Amino acid sequence: MTVAGPAMRVLVIGAGPAGMRCAERAAQAGLEVTLVGAEAALPYDRVALGRVLSGEAEVPALITHDLRRLRALGIGYRPATPIAALDRAARVAVTARGEAISWDRAVIATGSRATRLPLPGAELPGVFVYRTIDDVRAIHRAAAGGARAVVIGGGLLGLEAAASLSAIGAKVTVVHAVDWPMERQLDAAAGALLARSLGATRGLRFAMPAATTAIEGSAWVSGVRLADGRRIACDIVVMAVGVRPVTELARDAGLAVARGIVVDDAMRTDDPAVLAIGECAEHRGVVCGLVAPALAMAEVAAATLADAEAVYAPRPDPTALKVSGIAVWSAGEVAPADAEAVTLTDEQAGRARRLWLRDGRLVGAVLYGDTADSPFYLDLISSGRPVAPHRATLAFGPAFQDAA
Ligand SMILES: Cc1cc2nc3c(=O)[nH]c(=O)nc-3n(C[C@H](O)[C@H](O)[C@H](O)COP(=O)(O)OP(=O)(O)OC[C@H]3O[C@@H](n4cnc5c(N)ncnc54)[C@H](O)[C@@H]3O)c2cc1C
């Protein structure tokens, strides 16, 4: 007869989507799981924050796991508990309040933090980043009543924030460093179509290309100064200029960190008792910036914790601009330096496509305006089938391939 020993104690640090998923799967595998999160909220759907900003949803609708569900899963949940240090030799984590939590295995899922440009005035009240429920609550409060808002950054997230702000009556100007928005995904012509469409349907204004040199104000932000001398008067500023993996805890604990915390295919760091997942992790030189790979890593980590074989295999996860009525879809590698680009733009119809080929295979695609063919391109990227013979017709989509 075998006698079951005490369950392995797993500490998951960070209660974002990756940490929550890993905690859930590890608990289902019978491990004793404690989940600690720096944020005060219950675990929530970060991807849907724009719906709270635009007033389409209330915060409770975003909560993915309430206390009852966490209890039913057997997860010990500790909100508002940032971990300040990880002692790997003693297998103890120390909270910011100085409390020690013992573990047999630790999973670091500390995600990313939004970049705050180091500009004069960047710390003024009224200047926000866009990452957490607290950020969104604060932006929403400050923007109510027809505020003038400047969003710095015209990428996916900046445009989403801008559209949400305009939905609650703010007058929004997007300041973007390049001549057109979403320049990583779209070429100049499609970018111009997008800017025109967001202007017509959402009332967004664009200052492009424009570099912000200072944020002005005394007790509260009052304007944004651009490099060409222009000043845009505003009541709030939202910075949406990128994110950076949160790696200090791992670095201070002596784990290997490059851009993210370096992990192997099983999500182990260079200490096999410590795993890392989600946006804080770096797998084969890549740090992910989307929720699907973060969740896939969480599944692999949970299997590793339960001593099952699992290997993380990155996929060409698709993403879309979440602004209703404006269709932009992308998958795979967007604008890789070593690939050949094929571009098709139909300005009359308001449609554009960009495809990237390497070694005769499709490695990335962006569709603007009409995204109905997205499954076709996703399949080509995922399967890695040779497409070189169809290169001339590839941008026209599957219907044309059948006819050809
Ligand atoms: C507004 C918005 C919209 C988005 N839309 C999309 C989309 O459409 N599609 C898509 O794929 N992705 C989208 N993303 C990105 C997506 O949210 C991330 O890919 C995902 O949240 C990554 O999950 P994660 O668990 O790795 O990290 P995070 O979600 O960043 O979670 C990490 C958690 O760890 C906590 N933490 C950090 N340090 C500590 C510590 N020392 N102790 C304890 N806790 C700590 C943080 O407070 C945070 O709660 C969006 C992001 C935002 C902000």
Side-chain angles (χ1 to χ4, degrees), residues 12-20 36-39 44-50 78 80-85 108-114 130-132 135-136 156-157 160-161 243 246 248-249 277-281 288-295 297 317-322:
V12 180
I13 304 168
M20 182 62 245
V36 293
E39 295 183 63
Y44 64 91
D45 180 6
R46 195 178 304 288
V47 169
L49 278 176
R78 310 270 301 268
T81 307
I83 296 296
I108 305 178
T110 45
S112 298
R113 69 171 63 90
Y130 181 43
R131 180 76 192 176
T132 67
D135 294 333
V136 167
L156 270 170
L157 220 57
E160 192 191 305
V243 297
V246 177
E248 299 88 340
L249 191 63
I277 55 173
E279 286 194 1
C280 67
C288 76
L290 294 174
V291 74
L295 296 176
M297 287 181 181
D317 294 299
T319 185
L321 176 66
K322 301 196 297 300

Short mmCIF file of all heavy atoms in Angstrom, two decimals, residues 12-20 36-39 44-50 78 80-85 108-114 130-132 135-136 156-157 160-161 243 246 248-249 277-281 288-295 297 317-322, ligand 1:
data_model
loop_
_atom_site.label_atom_id
_atom_site.label_comp_id
_atom_site.label_asym_id
_atom_site.label_seq_id
_atom_site.Cartn_x
_atom_site.Cartn_y
_atom_site.Cartn_z
N VAL A 12 1.92 30.57 -6.81
CA VAL A 12 1.85 31.26 -8.10
C VAL A 12 1.87 32.76 -7.81
O VAL A 12 1.03 33.29 -7.07
CB VAL A 12 0.57 30.87 -8.88
CG1 VAL A 12 0.53 31.61 -10.22
CG2 VAL A 12 0.51 29.37 -9.10
N ILE A 13 2.85 33.45 -8.39
CA ILE A 13 3.05 34.89 -8.11
C ILE A 13 2.55 35.69 -9.29
O ILE A 13 3.14 35.69 -10.38
CB ILE A 13 4.54 35.17 -7.84
CG1 ILE A 13 5.05 34.29 -6.69
CG2 ILE A 13 4.77 36.65 -7.55
CD1 ILE A 13 6.57 34.28 -6.55
N GLY A 14 1.43 36.40 -9.09
CA GLY A 14 0.81 37.17 -10.18
C GLY A 14 -0.51 36.52 -10.55
O GLY A 14 -0.54 35.36 -10.96
N ALA A 15 -1.61 37.27 -10.38
CA ALA A 15 -2.94 36.70 -10.63
C ALA A 15 -3.56 37.27 -11.89
O ALA A 15 -4.76 37.51 -11.97
CB ALA A 15 -3.84 36.94 -9.41
N GLY A 16 -2.72 37.50 -12.91
CA GLY A 16 -3.24 37.85 -14.24
C GLY A 16 -3.76 36.58 -14.91
O GLY A 16 -3.84 35.52 -14.28
N PRO A 17 -4.10 36.66 -16.19
CA PRO A 17 -4.65 35.48 -16.88
C PRO A 17 -3.73 34.26 -16.80
O PRO A 17 -4.21 33.14 -16.58
CB PRO A 17 -4.79 35.95 -18.32
CG PRO A 17 -4.87 37.44 -18.25
CD PRO A 17 -4.09 37.86 -17.05
N ALA A 18 -2.41 34.45 -16.95
CA ALA A 18 -1.50 33.29 -16.94
C ALA A 18 -1.44 32.67 -15.54
O ALA A 18 -1.58 31.45 -15.39
CB ALA A 18 -0.10 33.71 -17.40
N GLY A 19 -1.25 33.50 -14.53
CA GLY A 19 -1.16 32.98 -13.16
C GLY A 19 -2.45 32.28 -12.75
O GLY A 19 -2.43 31.20 -12.15
N MET A 20 -3.59 32.91 -13.09
CA MET A 20 -4.88 32.33 -12.72
C MET A 20 -5.07 30.97 -13.38
O MET A 20 -5.48 30.00 -12.74
CB MET A 20 -6.01 33.30 -13.11
CG MET A 20 -7.40 32.84 -12.72
SD MET A 20 -7.62 32.64 -10.94
CE MET A 20 -7.91 30.88 -10.82
N VAL A 36 -0.94 34.55 -5.31
CA VAL A 36 -0.82 35.90 -4.76
C VAL A 36 -0.78 36.91 -5.90
O VAL A 36 -0.11 36.69 -6.91
CB VAL A 36 0.43 36.08 -3.87
CG1 VAL A 36 0.33 35.27 -2.60
CG2 VAL A 36 1.70 35.76 -4.61
N GLY A 37 -1.49 38.00 -5.73
CA GLY A 37 -1.52 39.03 -6.77
C GLY A 37 -1.27 40.39 -6.16
O GLY A 37 -1.72 40.68 -5.04
N ALA A 38 -0.55 41.23 -6.90
CA ALA A 38 -0.28 42.58 -6.40
C ALA A 38 -1.54 43.45 -6.44
O ALA A 38 -1.71 44.35 -5.63
CB ALA A 38 0.84 43.22 -7.22
N GLU A 39 -2.43 43.17 -7.40
CA GLU A 39 -3.63 43.99 -7.53
C GLU A 39 -4.66 43.60 -6.46
O GLU A 39 -4.66 42.47 -5.99
CB GLU A 39 -4.24 43.83 -8.93
CG GLU A 39 -3.33 44.35 -10.04
CD GLU A 39 -3.98 44.25 -11.41
OE1 GLU A 39 -5.00 44.89 -11.62
OE2 GLU A 39 -3.44 43.51 -12.26
N TYR A 44 -9.30 38.98 -13.14
CA TYR A 44 -10.22 39.54 -14.14
C TYR A 44 -9.65 39.43 -15.54
O TYR A 44 -8.48 39.12 -15.73
CB TYR A 44 -10.55 41.01 -13.80
CG TYR A 44 -9.38 41.94 -13.83
CD1 TYR A 44 -9.03 42.63 -14.99
CD2 TYR A 44 -8.59 42.15 -12.70
CE1 TYR A 44 -7.95 43.50 -15.02
CE2 TYR A 44 -7.50 43.01 -12.72
CZ TYR A 44 -7.19 43.68 -13.88
OH TYR A 44 -6.11 44.53 -13.91
N ASP A 45 -10.50 39.72 -16.51
CA ASP A 45 -10.17 39.61 -17.93
C ASP A 45 -9.57 40.93 -18.40
O ASP A 45 -10.29 41.86 -18.74
CB ASP A 45 -11.46 39.27 -18.69
CG ASP A 45 -11.23 39.14 -20.18
OD1 ASP A 45 -10.06 39.19 -20.62
OD2 ASP A 45 -12.23 38.97 -20.91
N ARG A 46 -8.24 40.98 -18.43
CA ARG A 46 -7.57 42.24 -18.80
C ARG A 46 -7.91 42.66 -20.23
O ARG A 46 -8.05 43.85 -20.54
CB ARG A 46 -6.06 42.07 -18.64
CG ARG A 46 -5.28 43.36 -18.62
CD ARG A 46 -3.78 43.15 -18.40
NE ARG A 46 -3.42 42.42 -17.21
CZ ARG A 46 -3.52 42.88 -15.97
NH1 ARG A 46 -3.95 44.09 -15.76
NH2 ARG A 46 -3.18 42.13 -14.94
N VAL A 47 -8.05 41.67 -21.10
CA VAL A 47 -8.31 41.94 -22.52
C VAL A 47 -9.59 42.76 -22.71
O VAL A 47 -9.73 43.53 -23.66
CB VAL A 47 -8.40 40.59 -23.28
CG1 VAL A 47 -8.92 40.76 -24.69
CG2 VAL A 47 -7.04 39.90 -23.28
N ALA A 48 -10.54 42.61 -21.78
CA ALA A 48 -11.84 43.28 -21.93
C ALA A 48 -11.90 44.63 -21.23
O ALA A 48 -12.98 45.24 -21.14
CB ALA A 48 -12.94 42.36 -21.40
N LEU A 49 -10.76 45.15 -20.76
CA LEU A 49 -10.79 46.42 -20.01
C LEU A 49 -11.39 47.57 -20.80
O LEU A 49 -12.02 48.47 -20.24
CB LEU A 49 -9.36 46.80 -19.58
CG LEU A 49 -8.84 46.11 -18.32
CD1 LEU A 49 -7.38 46.51 -18.08
CD2 LEU A 49 -9.69 46.47 -17.11
N GLY A 50 -11.21 47.54 -22.13
CA GLY A 50 -11.74 48.62 -22.97
C GLY A 50 -13.25 48.75 -22.84
O GLY A 50 -13.80 49.84 -22.97
N ARG A 78 -4.62 35.42 -2.40
CA ARG A 78 -4.17 36.55 -1.60
C ARG A 78 -4.03 37.78 -2.49
O ARG A 78 -3.00 37.97 -3.13
CB ARG A 78 -2.81 36.23 -0.96
CG ARG A 78 -2.73 34.88 -0.24
CD ARG A 78 -3.12 35.02 1.21
NE ARG A 78 -2.27 35.95 1.89
CZ ARG A 78 -1.15 35.64 2.53
NH1 ARG A 78 -0.75 34.39 2.59
NH2 ARG A 78 -0.45 36.56 3.14
N ALA A 80 -3.77 41.94 -3.35
CA ALA A 80 -3.02 43.05 -2.76
C ALA A 80 -1.82 42.56 -1.96
O ALA A 80 -1.51 43.07 -0.89
CB ALA A 80 -3.95 43.92 -1.89
N THR A 81 -1.15 41.54 -2.49
CA THR A 81 -0.01 40.95 -1.79
C THR A 81 1.20 40.87 -2.74
O THR A 81 1.54 39.78 -3.21
CB THR A 81 -0.37 39.53 -1.27
OG1 THR A 81 -1.58 39.63 -0.50
CG2 THR A 81 0.73 38.94 -0.39
N PRO A 82 1.82 42.00 -3.03
CA PRO A 82 3.00 41.91 -3.90
C PRO A 82 4.13 41.15 -3.21
O PRO A 82 4.36 41.33 -2.02
CB PRO A 82 3.39 43.38 -4.13
CG PRO A 82 2.65 44.17 -3.10
CD PRO A 82 1.47 43.37 -2.67
N ILE A 83 4.77 40.28 -3.98
CA ILE A 83 5.92 39.56 -3.45
C ILE A 83 7.16 40.43 -3.68
O ILE A 83 7.40 40.89 -4.80
CB ILE A 83 6.08 38.19 -4.16
CG1 ILE A 83 4.86 37.30 -3.87
CG2 ILE A 83 7.38 37.50 -3.74
CD1 ILE A 83 4.67 36.92 -2.41
N ALA A 84 7.92 40.63 -2.62
CA ALA A 84 9.09 41.53 -2.71
C ALA A 84 10.38 40.76 -2.93
O ALA A 84 11.33 41.31 -3.50
CB ALA A 84 9.19 42.36 -1.44
N ALA A 85 10.43 39.51 -2.49
CA ALA A 85 11.69 38.75 -2.65
C ALA A 85 11.40 37.26 -2.68
O ALA A 85 10.43 36.78 -2.08
CB ALA A 85 12.64 39.07 -1.50
N ILE A 108 6.42 32.11 -11.45
CA ILE A 108 6.41 33.58 -11.59
C ILE A 108 5.55 33.94 -12.79
O ILE A 108 5.81 33.49 -13.91
CB ILE A 108 7.85 34.13 -11.75
CG1 ILE A 108 8.73 33.66 -10.59
CG2 ILE A 108 7.83 35.66 -11.82
CD1 ILE A 108 10.18 34.11 -10.67
N ALA A 109 4.50 34.71 -12.53
CA ALA A 109 3.56 35.11 -13.60
C ALA A 109 3.28 36.60 -13.43
O ALA A 109 2.13 37.03 -13.34
CB ALA A 109 2.28 34.29 -13.50
N THR A 110 4.37 37.38 -13.37
CA THR A 110 4.24 38.79 -13.02
C THR A 110 3.92 39.70 -14.22
O THR A 110 3.79 40.92 -14.05
CB THR A 110 5.54 39.28 -12.33
OG1 THR A 110 6.68 38.80 -13.06
CG2 THR A 110 5.63 38.73 -10.91
N GLY A 111 3.81 39.11 -15.42
CA GLY A 111 3.29 39.86 -16.57
C GLY A 111 4.17 41.02 -16.99
O GLY A 111 5.40 40.97 -16.92
N SER A 112 3.51 42.07 -17.46
CA SER A 112 4.20 43.28 -17.95
C SER A 112 3.65 44.49 -17.22
O SER A 112 2.55 44.45 -16.69
CB SER A 112 3.91 43.51 -19.43
OG SER A 112 4.38 42.46 -20.21
N ARG A 113 4.43 45.55 -17.27
CA ARG A 113 3.86 46.84 -16.85
C ARG A 113 3.93 47.79 -18.03
O ARG A 113 4.80 47.67 -18.90
CB ARG A 113 4.54 47.39 -15.61
CG ARG A 113 5.96 47.87 -15.76
CD ARG A 113 6.41 48.60 -14.49
NE ARG A 113 6.43 47.73 -13.32
CZ ARG A 113 7.49 47.01 -12.93
NH1 ARG A 113 8.61 47.05 -13.63
NH2 ARG A 113 7.44 46.23 -11.87
N ALA A 114 2.98 48.72 -18.04
CA ALA A 114 2.92 49.68 -19.14
C ALA A 114 4.05 50.69 -19.00
O ALA A 114 4.38 51.13 -17.89
CB ALA A 114 1.57 50.39 -19.11
N TYR A 130 -2.46 52.48 -19.27
CA TYR A 130 -3.68 51.72 -19.55
C TYR A 130 -3.36 50.24 -19.42
O TYR A 130 -2.98 49.61 -20.40
CB TYR A 130 -4.11 52.10 -20.98
CG TYR A 130 -5.36 51.46 -21.52
CD1 TYR A 130 -6.50 51.34 -20.74
CD2 TYR A 130 -5.40 51.01 -22.84
CE1 TYR A 130 -7.64 50.78 -21.27
CE2 TYR A 130 -6.54 50.45 -23.38
CZ TYR A 130 -7.66 50.33 -22.59
OH TYR A 130 -8.79 49.78 -23.11
N ARG A 131 -3.42 49.71 -18.20
CA ARG A 131 -3.03 48.31 -18.02
C ARG A 131 -3.93 47.55 -17.04
O ARG A 131 -4.21 46.39 -17.24
CB ARG A 131 -1.58 48.25 -17.54
CG ARG A 131 -1.03 46.86 -17.31
CD ARG A 131 -0.68 46.19 -18.62
NE ARG A 131 -0.41 44.76 -18.45
CZ ARG A 131 -0.15 43.92 -19.44
NH1 ARG A 131 -0.10 44.35 -20.67
NH2 ARG A 131 0.06 42.65 -19.21
N THR A 132 -4.37 48.26 -15.97
CA THR A 132 -5.07 47.54 -14.90
C THR A 132 -6.47 48.09 -14.70
O THR A 132 -6.83 49.17 -15.20
CB THR A 132 -4.31 47.68 -13.57
OG1 THR A 132 -4.37 49.06 -13.18
CG2 THR A 132 -2.85 47.26 -13.69
N ASP A 135 -6.20 51.50 -13.29
CA ASP A 135 -5.94 52.51 -14.33
C ASP A 135 -7.25 52.91 -15.01
O ASP A 135 -7.52 54.09 -15.21
CB ASP A 135 -5.01 51.95 -15.42
CG ASP A 135 -3.61 51.63 -14.92
OD1 ASP A 135 -3.17 52.27 -13.95
OD2 ASP A 135 -2.97 50.74 -15.52
N VAL A 136 -8.03 51.91 -15.37
CA VAL A 136 -9.24 52.18 -16.15
C VAL A 136 -10.28 52.94 -15.32
O VAL A 136 -10.91 53.87 -15.81
CB VAL A 136 -9.81 50.85 -16.71
CG1 VAL A 136 -11.22 51.04 -17.25
CG2 VAL A 136 -8.89 50.32 -17.80
N LEU A 156 -2.30 49.29 -31.50
CA LEU A 156 -3.56 48.61 -31.17
C LEU A 156 -4.19 49.13 -29.88
O LEU A 156 -5.38 49.46 -29.85
CB LEU A 156 -3.27 47.11 -30.98
CG LEU A 156 -3.34 46.20 -32.19
CD1 LEU A 156 -2.80 44.83 -31.84
CD2 LEU A 156 -4.78 46.07 -32.68
N LEU A 157 -3.36 49.20 -28.83
CA LEU A 157 -3.90 49.55 -27.52
C LEU A 157 -4.29 51.03 -27.43
O LEU A 157 -5.31 51.38 -26.85
CB LEU A 157 -2.85 49.22 -26.45
CG LEU A 157 -3.39 48.63 -25.18
CD1 LEU A 157 -4.18 47.37 -25.44
CD2 LEU A 157 -2.25 48.36 -24.20
N GLU A 160 -7.53 51.56 -29.26
CA GLU A 160 -8.64 51.01 -28.48
C GLU A 160 -9.00 51.97 -27.33
O GLU A 160 -10.18 52.25 -27.10
CB GLU A 160 -8.21 49.65 -27.93
CG GLU A 160 -9.35 48.86 -27.34
CD GLU A 160 -8.83 47.64 -26.58
OE1 GLU A 160 -8.10 46.84 -27.19
OE2 GLU A 160 -9.18 47.51 -25.40
N ALA A 161 -7.98 52.49 -26.65
CA ALA A 161 -8.24 53.44 -25.56
C ALA A 161 -8.91 54.69 -26.11
O ALA A 161 -9.88 55.20 -25.53
CB ALA A 161 -6.93 53.81 -24.86
N VAL A 243 4.83 47.97 -23.46
CA VAL A 243 4.92 47.34 -22.14
C VAL A 243 6.31 46.75 -21.97
O VAL A 243 7.04 46.55 -22.95
CB VAL A 243 3.87 46.22 -21.96
CG1 VAL A 243 2.47 46.78 -22.02
CG2 VAL A 243 4.07 45.10 -22.97
N VAL A 246 7.85 42.28 -16.35
CA VAL A 246 8.19 42.53 -14.94
C VAL A 246 9.11 41.40 -14.48
O VAL A 246 8.65 40.27 -14.25
CB VAL A 246 6.91 42.59 -14.08
CG1 VAL A 246 7.26 42.78 -12.60
CG2 VAL A 246 6.02 43.73 -14.55
N GLU A 248 11.99 41.95 -12.13
CA GLU A 248 12.89 42.29 -11.01
C GLU A 248 12.98 41.16 -9.99
O GLU A 248 14.07 40.84 -9.49
CB GLU A 248 12.40 43.54 -10.26
CG GLU A 248 12.33 44.81 -11.09
CD GLU A 248 11.00 44.96 -11.79
OE1 GLU A 248 10.28 43.94 -11.95
OE2 GLU A 248 10.65 46.07 -12.19
N LEU A 249 11.82 40.57 -9.68
CA LEU A 249 11.79 39.52 -8.66
C LEU A 249 12.72 38.37 -9.05
O LEU A 249 13.51 37.88 -8.24
CB LEU A 249 10.35 39.02 -8.53
CG LEU A 249 10.00 38.12 -7.36
CD1 LEU A 249 10.20 38.85 -6.05
CD2 LEU A 249 8.56 37.63 -7.49
N ILE A 277 5.90 32.06 -16.53
CA ILE A 277 4.91 31.96 -17.62
C ILE A 277 4.36 33.33 -17.98
O ILE A 277 4.45 34.28 -17.20
CB ILE A 277 3.72 31.05 -17.20
CG1 ILE A 277 3.10 31.55 -15.89
CG2 ILE A 277 4.16 29.61 -17.07
CD1 ILE A 277 1.81 30.82 -15.50
N GLY A 278 3.77 33.42 -19.16
CA GLY A 278 3.08 34.64 -19.58
C GLY A 278 4.05 35.70 -20.06
O GLY A 278 5.16 35.41 -20.51
N GLU A 279 3.61 36.94 -19.97
CA GLU A 279 4.38 38.04 -20.57
C GLU A 279 5.70 38.33 -19.88
O GLU A 279 6.51 39.08 -20.40
CB GLU A 279 3.52 39.31 -20.61
CG GLU A 279 2.44 39.27 -21.65
CD GLU A 279 1.81 40.63 -21.93
OE1 GLU A 279 2.21 41.63 -21.31
OE2 GLU A 279 0.89 40.68 -22.76
N CYS A 280 5.92 37.77 -18.68
CA CYS A 280 7.22 37.99 -18.02
C CYS A 280 8.26 36.98 -18.49
O CYS A 280 9.44 37.11 -18.17
CB CYS A 280 7.08 37.95 -16.50
SG CYS A 280 6.65 36.32 -15.85
N ALA A 281 7.83 35.94 -19.21
CA ALA A 281 8.73 34.85 -19.58
C ALA A 281 9.30 35.05 -20.98
O ALA A 281 8.66 35.66 -21.84
CB ALA A 281 7.98 33.52 -19.51
N CYS A 288 6.13 36.96 -25.21
CA CYS A 288 4.81 37.09 -25.84
C CYS A 288 4.11 38.36 -25.38
O CYS A 288 4.41 38.89 -24.30
CB CYS A 288 3.95 35.85 -25.58
SG CYS A 288 3.25 35.78 -23.92
N GLY A 289 3.19 38.85 -26.19
CA GLY A 289 2.45 40.06 -25.83
C GLY A 289 0.95 39.87 -25.99
O GLY A 289 0.21 40.83 -26.07
N LEU A 290 0.54 38.61 -26.05
CA LEU A 290 -0.88 38.30 -26.25
C LEU A 290 -1.33 37.31 -25.19
O LEU A 290 -0.52 36.59 -24.60
CB LEU A 290 -1.11 37.68 -27.63
CG LEU A 290 -0.84 38.59 -28.83
CD1 LEU A 290 -0.97 37.80 -30.12
CD2 LEU A 290 -1.81 39.78 -28.85
N VAL A 291 -2.65 37.24 -25.00
CA VAL A 291 -3.15 36.39 -23.92
C VAL A 291 -3.12 34.90 -24.29
O VAL A 291 -2.88 34.06 -23.42
CB VAL A 291 -4.56 36.87 -23.48
CG1 VAL A 291 -5.62 36.51 -24.49
CG2 VAL A 291 -4.88 36.36 -22.10
N ALA A 292 -3.33 34.56 -25.56
CA ALA A 292 -3.39 33.14 -25.92
C ALA A 292 -2.08 32.40 -25.61
O ALA A 292 -2.10 31.34 -24.98
CB ALA A 292 -3.80 32.97 -27.39
N PRO A 293 -0.92 32.92 -26.02
CA PRO A 293 0.31 32.23 -25.65
C PRO A 293 0.55 32.22 -24.14
O PRO A 293 1.11 31.24 -23.60
CB PRO A 293 1.42 33.01 -26.37
CG PRO A 293 0.80 34.27 -26.83
CD PRO A 293 -0.67 34.05 -26.93
N ALA A 294 0.12 33.28 -23.45
CA ALA A 294 0.30 33.32 -21.98
C ALA A 294 -0.49 32.16 -21.35
O ALA A 294 0.00 31.48 -20.44
CB ALA A 294 -0.16 34.66 -21.43
N LEU A 295 -1.70 31.92 -21.84
CA LEU A 295 -2.53 30.83 -21.31
C LEU A 295 -1.95 29.47 -21.69
O LEU A 295 -1.97 28.53 -20.89
CB LEU A 295 -3.97 30.95 -21.82
CG LEU A 295 -4.73 32.20 -21.36
CD1 LEU A 295 -6.11 32.27 -22.00
CD2 LEU A 295 -4.85 32.23 -19.84
N MET A 297 1.17 28.78 -22.12
CA MET A 297 2.31 28.56 -21.22
C MET A 297 1.83 28.09 -19.85
O MET A 297 2.45 27.24 -19.21
CB MET A 297 3.09 29.87 -21.04
CG MET A 297 3.91 30.28 -22.22
SD MET A 297 4.78 31.81 -21.76
CE MET A 297 5.64 32.14 -23.27
N ASP A 317 -0.62 33.04 -33.15
CA ASP A 317 -1.91 33.47 -32.60
C ASP A 317 -2.42 34.73 -33.27
O ASP A 317 -1.69 35.72 -33.39
CB ASP A 317 -1.76 33.70 -31.10
CG ASP A 317 -1.46 32.41 -30.38
OD1 ASP A 317 -2.29 31.50 -30.45
OD2 ASP A 317 -0.38 32.32 -29.78
N PRO A 318 -3.68 34.72 -33.69
CA PRO A 318 -4.23 35.92 -34.32
C PRO A 318 -4.63 36.97 -33.29
O PRO A 318 -4.89 36.66 -32.13
CB PRO A 318 -5.47 35.40 -35.05
CG PRO A 318 -5.83 34.14 -34.37
CD PRO A 318 -4.63 33.61 -33.67
N THR A 319 -4.68 38.20 -33.72
CA THR A 319 -5.20 39.27 -32.86
C THR A 319 -5.99 40.25 -33.74
O THR A 319 -5.87 40.23 -34.96
CB THR A 319 -4.07 39.98 -32.09
OG1 THR A 319 -4.65 40.92 -31.20
CG2 THR A 319 -3.12 40.71 -33.02
N ALA A 320 -6.81 41.07 -33.09
CA ALA A 320 -7.67 41.98 -33.85
C ALA A 320 -7.77 43.30 -33.12
O ALA A 320 -7.55 43.36 -31.90
CB ALA A 320 -9.05 41.36 -34.01
N LEU A 321 -8.09 44.36 -33.86
CA LEU A 321 -8.36 45.64 -33.22
C LEU A 321 -9.79 45.58 -32.68
O LEU A 321 -10.72 45.32 -33.42
CB LEU A 321 -8.22 46.77 -34.25
CG LEU A 321 -8.56 48.17 -33.75
CD1 LEU A 321 -7.58 48.64 -32.69
CD2 LEU A 321 -8.57 49.17 -34.90
N LYS A 322 -9.93 45.83 -31.36
CA LYS A 322 -11.26 45.70 -30.76
C LYS A 322 -11.99 47.04 -30.78
O LYS A 322 -12.32 47.59 -29.75
CB LYS A 322 -11.14 45.15 -29.35
CG LYS A 322 -10.44 43.79 -29.30
CD LYS A 322 -10.64 43.05 -27.99
CE LYS A 322 -10.06 43.76 -26.81
NZ LYS A 322 -8.62 44.01 -26.83
C1 LIG B 1 -6.47 47.13 -22.34
C2 LIG B 1 -5.81 45.88 -22.83
C3 LIG B 1 -6.34 45.18 -23.92
C4 LIG B 1 -5.72 44.02 -24.37
N1 LIG B 1 -6.28 43.38 -25.44
C5 LIG B 1 -5.72 42.22 -25.86
C6 LIG B 1 -6.30 41.50 -26.94
O1 LIG B 1 -7.26 41.93 -27.57
N2 LIG B 1 -5.75 40.31 -27.29
C7 LIG B 1 -4.66 39.80 -26.62
O2 LIG B 1 -4.22 38.70 -26.94
N3 LIG B 1 -4.09 40.48 -25.60
C8 LIG B 1 -4.57 41.68 -25.20
N4 LIG B 1 -3.99 42.36 -24.17
C9 LIG B 1 -2.77 41.79 -23.55
C10 LIG B 1 -3.16 40.75 -22.48
O3 LIG B 1 -3.91 41.39 -21.49
C11 LIG B 1 -1.89 40.15 -21.90
O4 LIG B 1 -1.26 39.40 -22.92
C12 LIG B 1 -2.18 39.24 -20.70
O5 LIG B 1 -2.80 39.95 -19.67
C13 LIG B 1 -0.87 38.63 -20.17
O6 LIG B 1 -1.15 37.87 -19.03
P1 LIG B 1 -0.09 37.64 -17.87
O7 LIG B 1 -0.82 36.87 -16.83
O8 LIG B 1 1.16 37.11 -18.44
O9 LIG B 1 0.30 39.10 -17.31
P2 LIG B 1 -0.58 40.24 -16.63
O10 LIG B 1 -1.95 40.24 -17.18
O11 LIG B 1 0.25 41.48 -16.74
O12 LIG B 1 -0.69 39.81 -15.10
C14 LIG B 1 0.40 39.85 -14.21
C15 LIG B 1 -0.09 40.10 -12.82
O13 LIG B 1 0.99 39.93 -11.92
C16 LIG B 1 0.93 40.93 -10.93
N5 LIG B 1 2.26 41.11 -10.32
C17 LIG B 1 3.34 41.72 -10.87
N6 LIG B 1 4.37 41.69 -10.00
C18 LIG B 1 3.94 41.04 -8.91
C19 LIG B 1 4.55 40.66 -7.65
N7 LIG B 1 5.83 40.98 -7.39
N8 LIG B 1 3.80 40.01 -6.74
C20 LIG B 1 2.50 39.67 -7.02
N9 LIG B 1 1.89 39.99 -8.17
C21 LIG B 1 2.60 40.66 -9.10
C22 LIG B 1 0.44 42.15 -11.68
O14 LIG B 1 -0.10 43.11 -10.78
C23 LIG B 1 -0.60 41.53 -12.60
O15 LIG B 1 -1.86 41.51 -12.01
C24 LIG B 1 -4.56 43.54 -23.71
C25 LIG B 1 -4.02 44.25 -22.63
C26 LIG B 1 -4.62 45.41 -22.19
C27 LIG B 1 -4.01 46.17 -21.03
#
